[in-house]
Amino acid sequence: IIIEALAQTAAVMVGVSLDLADKNLLLYFMSIDNCKFRRKVGPGDALELRVSVLRGKIGGRVWKFSGSASVAGEIAAEVEFTAMMELPSGD
């Protein structure tokens, strides 16, 4: 679920950056690499998500991201993932 949350954060980040936030941008995982879980996350924990673009371009469909999730300043998970982003048919 943490990795999915990071992917959703990446989709929102790219969508807003490219002015596609209201276009129902679709995100498809292509790969998940270098994934490490470093601590448990439980109910009531406030998860802080950080995502950065490693590779991607305006108009490109395949993007690579690096992401981390932390609780109270302590890293809970780290990951690199590649995703394809596209608009639904008809948009």
Side-chain angles (χ1 to χ4, degrees), residues 14-75:
V14 170
V16 169
S17 297
L18 300 179
D19 198 28
L20 299 171
D22 60 345
K23 302 286 188 202
N24 297 320
L25 187 65
L26 300 174
L27 178 111
Y28 301 100
F29 274 122
M30 295 177 69
S31 69
I32 297 172
D33 301 304
N34 303 317
C35 183
K36 296 192 186 217
F37 295 96
R38 303 199 178 273
R39 80 180 295 282
K40 289 182 180 180
V41 177
D45 287 342
L47 196 61
E48 182 177 314
L49 305 173
R50 295 181 186 269
V51 176
S52 59
V53 176
L54 298 178
R55 185 179 64 235
K57 63 179 183 171
I58 295 173
R61 291 176 41 176
V62 178
W63 294 66
K64 185 164 186 166
F65 301 94
S66 173
S68 67
S70 59
V71 175
E74 187 179 350
I75 298 290

